[in-house]
Amino acid sequence: DLKRRDFTINAMAYNQKDGLIDLYGGLADLNAKKLRAVGNAEQRFEEDALRILRAIRFESTLGFSCDEETQMAIFENAGLLDGISKERIKAETDKMFLKGKKVEDTLLKYEKIFLTAIKSLKSLNGAKGIDNFKGEEKWAKLMLEEDIEKVAKELKFSNKLKDYCVLIKKYSKKEICNSLIDT
């Protein structure tokens, strides 16, 4: 069971008789804040491409960094995200937005991955300054330069989230126009 896990930090077990079972060095990786795939990283991502976004989320929420092999496999296997449902992609991104510490840095570091996973995004320009926002506000910030209808349809946003993003975009543009008139 442990060899089929995604990352070494998730491939540990405990029982009364044997104590901690750590066949893949997960405890050392946990202490070093290192994210490393169990065994072959490419194989782990081929088994479930959502693990790519999980790795990115763990970097953002836990402050971990990927080892070199895992990092390379993330970029080399980005195309596998085409086979992942958009609801799962949104759910992983939501978790990162909710608990991420350095979301802007993470989005920009993995820009290629997010643009591959979310086809309707033109850019991640909206990521700049996103850490100043909370939860769903981050979606609104990211959508400021995007076609919200297209992204909302692709990721199956709730009507409430879509309407919220539209409203923020509308008032953001109004504020920008007013500030230009005042100068």
Side-chain angles (χ1 to χ4, degrees), residues 61-72:
T61 59
L62 301 174
F64 282 40
S65 60
C66 290
D67 76 318
E68 190 175 328
E69 180 189 347
T70 303
Q71 182 88 46
M72 284 178 27

Side-chain angles (χ1 to χ4, degrees), residues 60-181:
S60 180
T61 59
L62 301 174
F64 282 40
S65 60
C66 290
D67 76 318
E68 190 175 328
E69 180 189 347
T70 303
Q71 182 88 46
M72 284 178 27
I74 285 171
F75 284 103
E76 289 172 4
N77 291 283
L80 294 173
L81 291 167
D82 287 340
I84 298 297
S85 78
K86 297 304 179 179
E87 293 92 344
R88 291 179 77 201
I89 289 169
K90 182 182 177 295
E92 273 307 310
T93 308
D94 282 342
K95 290 174 189 175
M96 184 179 74
F97 282 1
L98 190 62
K99 304 247 184 195
K101 293 174 178 68
K102 294 183 178 181
V103 175
E104 178 179 349
D105 292 345
T106 304
L107 286 170
L108 296 176
K109 177 179 179 181
Y110 292 105
E111 181 173 12
K112 175 188 172 201
I113 306 303
F114 283 98
L115 294 178
T116 299
I118 307 170
K119 301 282 189 227
S120 55
L121 283 178
K122 294 181 289 189
S123 75
L124 292 182
N125 291 340
K128 293 177 181 88
I130 203 167
D131 291 325
N132 297 321
F133 297 81
K134 295 180 180 171
E136 290 186 338
E137 293 175 358
K138 288 182 170 134
W139 279 114
K141 172 70 171 101
L142 192 63
M143 297 293 108
L144 287 177
E145 297 179 24
E146 299 295 331
D147 182 337
I148 294 171
E149 295 291 332
K150 277 177 104 172
V151 177
K153 184 177 180 181
E154 178 184 357
L155 294 181
K156 299 179 177 23
F157 278 16
S158 67
N159 286 335
K160 181 181 174 184
L161 178 58
K162 181 186 75 160
D163 293 345
Y164 180 73
C165 291
V166 168
L167 188 66
I168 296 298
K169 184 174 184 173
K170 177 182 172 184
Y171 282 99
S172 173
K173 287 187 176 192
K174 187 175 180 179
E175 276 186 33
I176 292 168
C177 290
N178 288 341
S179 69
L180 289 174
I181 292 169

